[in-house]
Amino acid sequence: TLTVDARHHGSRWSWQGELTWPKGEMYWAPFYLASPGIAASASGSFDGSQVAVEALRIEGASLGQIEGRGSFDLPSKRIGSASFSTGMLDLAQLAPSLIAPLLESVAGPKLAWSGQASLAGEIRDNALESVNLGLHGVGLREAGGHYALEGIEADIPWRSDASTDAR
């Protein structure tokens, strides 16, 4: 179910919307989501040339929680600014539908995932500026039982304009 409310104020539109997708399936190569149970809400404005998303929140059983905001310039087709962050993502739920299809497309082994991850990032002037990846008790186990990694703990920052140290 999609609901959208938009109001005109002078030369600007303000809008807010909600999307609930309680059941069903989606395939968007290479991703397949079965019964995702997704809810999303967003609010922002539009002035004829720029779309501003002031608040975006997406939640789902297989996706976890994602929040973001940003602006997009329509004439130049460029992202002015954007930021996103996740809560703690359950890799046992997320990996089979979003990570494994990417790895399998490059002939990677089938993996069972465990643990949690968090992700945050920023975009400025259509370029990725920063990413922070946190891994918390992550485990990877090859489906055939040949190898496994367990208990991975890491904070991995990346910046476009500076060197960083992972821990």
Side-chain angles (χ1 to χ4, degrees):
T1 305
L2 174 64
T3 59
V4 177
D5 179 40
R7 299 184 190 269
H8 193 246
H9 306 282
S11 62
R12 186 184 233 28
W13 286 87
S14 61
W15 56 269
Q16 62 183 45
E18 292 185 7
L19 171 69
T20 54
W21 183 16
K23 59 184 178 179
E25 300 176 6
M26 178 184 81
Y27 178 70
W28 184 14
F31 307 108
Y32 172 74
L33 297 174
S35 300
I38 293 174
S41 62
S43 62
S45 61
F46 174 65
D47 68 5
S49 64
Q50 188 173 62
V51 176
V53 177
E54 292 151 9
L56 170 68
R57 182 179 180 100
I58 303 169
E59 293 183 83
S62 62
L63 295 176
Q65 176 185 313
I66 303 166
E67 293 184 349
R69 50 181 250 176
S71 63
F72 185 77
D73 185 70
L74 293 173
S76 67
K77 298 181 176 88
R78 296 177 60 86
I79 297 171
S81 66
S83 62
F84 66 90
S85 63
T86 69
M88 290 302 235
L89 304 172
D90 181 355
L91 291 176
Q93 291 287 322
L94 179 72
S97 56
L98 295 179
I99 300 172
L102 295 173
L103 295 177
E104 290 169 4
S105 70
V106 293
K110 299 234 186 265
L111 299 172
W113 295 72
S114 61
Q116 296 181 320
S118 59
L119 186 65
E122 292 188 18
I123 298 170
R124 297 270 180 262
D125 296 324
N126 222 42
L128 188 60
E129 291 280 320
S130 67
V131 174
N132 292 305
L133 173 64
L135 303 176
H136 312 281
V138 171
L140 303 168
R141 183 172 299 278
E142 190 263 335
H146 299 288
Y147 61 87
L149 297 170
E150 298 289 336
I152 300 168
E153 297 285 337
D155 289 312
I156 305 168
W158 175 85
R159 304 290 179 268
S160 64
D161 60 352
S163 63
T164 58
D165 294 320
R167 293 175 289 194

